[in-house]
Amino acid sequence: MDKEESGESDFEMLKSQQNNPYPMADLFESVSGYLEFLSDIGCSGLECPDRILEQVNAWGRDAGKTGRSPSGLLNDFKKCRKCSLSASSQRMICGEGNSKARLAIVGGAASAVDMKTGIPYSGKPGELLDKMLAAIGFARDEVYITRALKCCPPHNQKPNPGDVKICRAYLEKELKLVRPLIICAFGDIAAMALLETSVPLSGLRGRFHDFNGMQVMPTYSPEYLFENPGAKRQAWEDLKRVMDVLK
């Protein structure tokens, strides 16, 4: 029996859906997000190449081994070759941590140590980062940590603005998946990538800025604080503002 034979109108159908635990608006939002996700990973409409499906199916296995979130793995198989850094890069440094975190950490360019371990903020800067997070009540696995530039510039040189702009497209998609309440931008490169500005960090830190509806707090990076311990007091003031909002 079709709809007309049963006498059920479109309005009655909508009325019957009012008790549905999944309202139409939520369903439309979920479908829209899913289609956008498929587009991001290289699918056309609802059709995905076999190679993409194989990579997606491997996510669960890989996450169990590395602890990486899908938002980080998304960048793993993009195999970007768009900027000048990609020619000498051995891997992209993907984001790690809680993929539903309220707080995200974005550092500048990946370091040489990051490239060896495959983990953002490795080595001594990572140890200092852990202490900074602990001071505001977070463990590393409770936040999301990534890099504005997924590759390491040769000899740890400062990356050029063109490379920062190219990598920003990946960073934007990554943070859109995690959707944290606050993003800490560690250093001028991270602030430049997120806020698309040439204003020095000293003119940005200490207050929140908007990034696609997320609040960004630029502050000094662990790398900078190693070289300039006198700036730790200012960095602590910035982190206290972050902590106040997250409370």
Side-chain angles (χ1 to χ4, degrees):
M1 179 181 296
D2 60 24
K3 183 179 68 175
E4 292 182 356
E5 290 177 343
S6 66
E8 184 180 24
S9 70
D10 290 336
F11 292 104
E12 288 172 332
M13 289 180 64
L14 290 173
K15 184 178 180 180
S16 69
Q17 292 170 351
Q18 289 180 350
N19 295 325
N20 191 326
Y22 305 102
M24 292 299 294
D26 291 348
L27 291 175
F28 283 130
E29 183 178 357
S30 297
V31 171
S32 176
Y34 181 63
L35 291 174
E36 183 177 355
F37 166 74
L38 291 177
S39 175
D40 285 343
I41 64 174
C43 300
S44 176
L46 295 175
E47 296 182 0
C48 290
D50 290 341
R51 60 181 180 81
I52 297 294
L53 293 176
E54 290 175 2
Q55 290 161 344
V56 172
N57 287 333
W59 282 359
R61 298 192 299 272
D62 292 341
K65 297 176 182 177
T66 66
R68 290 179 178 170
S69 68
S71 52
L73 289 172
L74 187 61
N75 288 324
D76 243 344
F77 58 78
K78 284 182 179 292
K79 301 187 183 301
C80 174
R81 295 294 180 267
K82 296 178 181 179
C83 80
S84 63
L85 301 178
S86 61
S88 58
S89 176
Q90 297 300 312
R91 69 169 96 191
M92 292 173 67
I93 300 302
C94 304
E96 291 199 340
N98 184 353
S99 62
K100 297 184 182 298
R102 300 173 66 220
L103 174 64
I105 304 298
V106 177
S111 69
V113 181
D114 291 352
M115 299 301 283
K116 290 180 180 178
T117 63
I119 300 172
Y121 271 109
S122 299
K124 294 295 183 182
E127 293 175 7
L128 180 54
L129 171 61
D130 292 346
K131 293 178 181 178
M132 294 168 72
L133 290 173
I136 59 173
F138 286 93
R140 176 181 275 252
D141 60 2
E142 293 178 309
V143 304
Y144 188 82
I145 304 174
T146 191
R147 291 283 194 175
L149 261 74
K150 311 304 183 188
C151 300
C152 177
H155 312 296
N156 284 324
Q157 296 174 350
K158 190 171 183 177
N160 66 64
D163 291 343
V164 175
K165 184 176 181 179
I166 289 171
C167 215
R168 185 184 190 275
Y170 293 140
L171 178 65
E172 187 171 16
K173 291 179 180 178
E174 184 178 14
L175 292 173
K176 188 176 181 180
L177 289 171
V178 180
R179 201 71 192 176
L181 177 63
I182 294 181
I183 303 168
C184 276
F186 279 156
D188 54 351
I189 298 300
M192 179 194 302
L194 289 167
L195 304 178
E196 296 186 292
T197 180
S198 58
V199 176
L201 186 67
S202 59
L204 297 171
R205 57 155 298 272
R207 65 184 190 277
F208 288 102
H209 305 260
D210 178 73
F211 173 76
N212 294 337
M214 293 167 270
Q215 298 185 69
V216 177
M217 173 60 74
T219 191
Y220 297 113
S221 68
E223 296 93 333
Y224 180 85
L225 295 177
F226 263 116
E227 301 294 330
N228 303 272
K232 287 183 178 181
R233 180 179 295 274
Q234 291 173 297
W236 172 237
E237 292 299 324
D238 297 338
L239 290 178
K240 284 199 296 183
R241 291 184 175 91
V242 170
M243 182 169 55
D244 288 342
V245 173
L246 290 174
K247 282 182 178 178

